[in-house]
Amino acid sequence: MTHHDMPADADAAACPLEPTGLWVRATASRPRRHRDGWLFDLQALDPTRSGRLTAFMSGDFTNQIEQASGIMLHEEDLVGDHTVLLTLTVDPLLGLTGRIIGLDRGLMLRAWVERDARVREALDANGLWERQRELPMPRRLRRVFLLEPDDGAPHAIAEGLARWHELGMIALIRHPLAFEEPGSVAALHRALDAAEGQLEWGTLDAVIVEPGSGFALRALSDPGLAQRLCEFPVPILTRRTRPETLLDGLAFRSFDTAPELAALLIEILHRELREADRPRLEAIARELEAAPAVEDRPAEEGALFD
């Protein structure tokens, strides 16, 4: 029961004000624009059940889907089998009508895959798609740039890198941002500007992307951003998202879990130790510790500079 159909003498506080809805698995057909939303027919997948249901998807809900997915819905996107969350009403003209208040992810996922495939083909045709993976493996891990979600939640990679930073093992530059909020593409470009500044004025060994636990991480599949990431001169390491983004495919390395990513970072540090010639450095340290301190004496004659 909702506030629309409860008896006049009912206790309003005891009744839910919002319909809970009913999940329906059906085939959608005949999509057509209706005001600022969509109307289409739903047919049960069970062949023994006849009849169609007119379904309405409001403009507000359509906008939410388009903002989350980064795509504009078209007729072909709505045709096919879907799982929808409905509230049912009886309309004097339309009869039994379902108002869609939820939609399965399949609709968005199919559109995302198709869009990403087109962008990847364009990058591949320009010889950019493999650019990151052609970079050499980092020989050291001294300065790291971390892109992390600004969600206040703990993330294993960020915590591990922060610990290494506190121990003096690496220099860590942290750049939190909201991956799924409006303006996230522009924020990612600004972050890459900052990373390039580190490379230009100092050193930068790796860029690590921890996307967090979001779903609509469409900023990481932005065509312009994807091209810039392909051309970035420093290896980009990332943890894969579900569903995957273009970043997951173009990055120098992408991993399913944080421990897998951490294992590569540890291997880079091991390599740095192997190539550091530790016996030589230890011999230098012992010699310098044993050597007498050199007194600072002012020059008795002659200019310091010509």
Side-chain angles (χ1 to χ4, degrees):
M1 182 176 292
T2 71
H3 68 294
H4 297 294
D5 57 6
M6 66 182 178
D9 58 348
D11 181 4
C15 298
L17 295 180
E18 296 296 334
T20 56
L22 174 69
W23 283 106
V24 176
R25 182 77 170 147
T27 299
S29 61
R30 297 182 62 237
R32 60 268 191 202
R33 281 287 184 181
H34 178 71
R35 297 177 185 170
D36 57 349
W38 288 92
L39 272 179
F40 47 88
D41 294 342
L42 295 180
Q43 174 73 50
L45 292 180
D46 185 349
T48 64
R49 297 182 179 275
S50 61
R52 293 179 179 274
L53 176 69
T54 301
F56 172 67
M57 188 161 67
S58 69
D60 289 340
F61 186 58
T62 301
N63 290 335
Q64 290 179 27
I65 294 175
E66 292 176 343
Q67 290 175 6
S69 64
I71 61 171
M72 298 297 294
L73 291 180
H74 299 90
E75 293 183 8
E76 58 270 21
D77 299 323
L78 299 172
V79 173
D81 296 343
H82 299 293
T83 301
V84 294
L85 182 61
L86 298 173
T87 57
L88 302 177
T89 59
V90 178
D91 187 279
L93 297 178
L94 298 176
L96 188 61
T97 303
R99 182 181 179 88
I100 296 179
I101 58 174
L103 195 68
D104 74 330
R105 302 193 308 177
L107 172 68
M108 291 182 284
L109 292 177
R110 287 192 297 273
W112 293 350
V113 169
E114 293 172 1
R115 177 182 173 182
D116 288 358
R118 292 192 294 269
V119 176
R120 175 173 177 167
E121 289 174 0
L123 293 171
D124 199 23
N126 293 327
L128 298 177
W129 183 253
E130 298 289 337
R131 185 76 64 83
Q132 266 283 314
R133 285 186 290 277
E134 292 171 351
L135 293 174
M137 181 66 70
R139 304 182 70 89
R140 64 183 188 180
L141 196 68
R142 300 185 184 179
R143 187 175 294 271
V144 175
F145 194 94
L146 174 64
L147 283 167
E148 58 182 327
D150 187 14
D151 57 8
H155 300 284
I157 284 296
E159 291 179 344
L161 291 173
R163 180 174 180 274
W164 288 356
H165 175 76
E166 292 173 0
L167 293 173
M169 295 169 56
I170 64 171
L172 178 63
I173 301 96
R174 304 180 69 165
H175 200 106
L177 56 88
F179 286 97
E180 295 180 298
E181 296 296 326
S184 56
V185 173
L188 282 162
H189 277 292
R190 290 192 295 270
L192 290 177
D193 290 340
E196 287 180 346
Q198 291 290 330
L199 181 62
E200 181 178 358
W201 296 103
T203 60
L204 187 62
D205 299 305
V207 172
I208 297 176
V209 181
E210 168 51 66
S213 57
F215 164 68
L217 297 164
R218 296 308 296 159
L220 298 177
S221 281
D222 177 78
L225 182 70
Q227 178 172 339
R228 185 175 183 183
L229 292 170
C230 284
E231 298 174 321
F232 202 78
V234 172
I236 299 173
L237 312 174
T238 186
R239 186 181 59 77
R240 286 192 194 93
T241 62
R242 293 291 184 272
E244 291 190 7
T245 65
L246 285 175
L247 171 63
D248 298 319
L250 66 85
F252 177 76
R253 296 287 188 277
S254 57
F255 303 89
D256 289 324
T257 66
E260 291 175 351
L261 198 163
L264 178 66
L265 301 180
I266 291 172
E267 175 55 33
I268 295 173
L269 292 173
H270 277 302
R271 178 176 180 176
E272 187 174 354
L273 283 176
R274 290 194 300 269
E275 296 181 352
D277 194 357
R278 294 171 66 184
R280 172 179 173 271
L281 294 177
E282 291 170 357
I284 292 174
R286 288 193 299 270
E287 178 65 18
L288 293 180
E289 289 174 358
V294 179
E295 295 182 5
D296 292 329
R297 296 179 180 178
E300 296 180 356
E301 60 182 12
L304 290 176
F305 303 100
D306 293 330

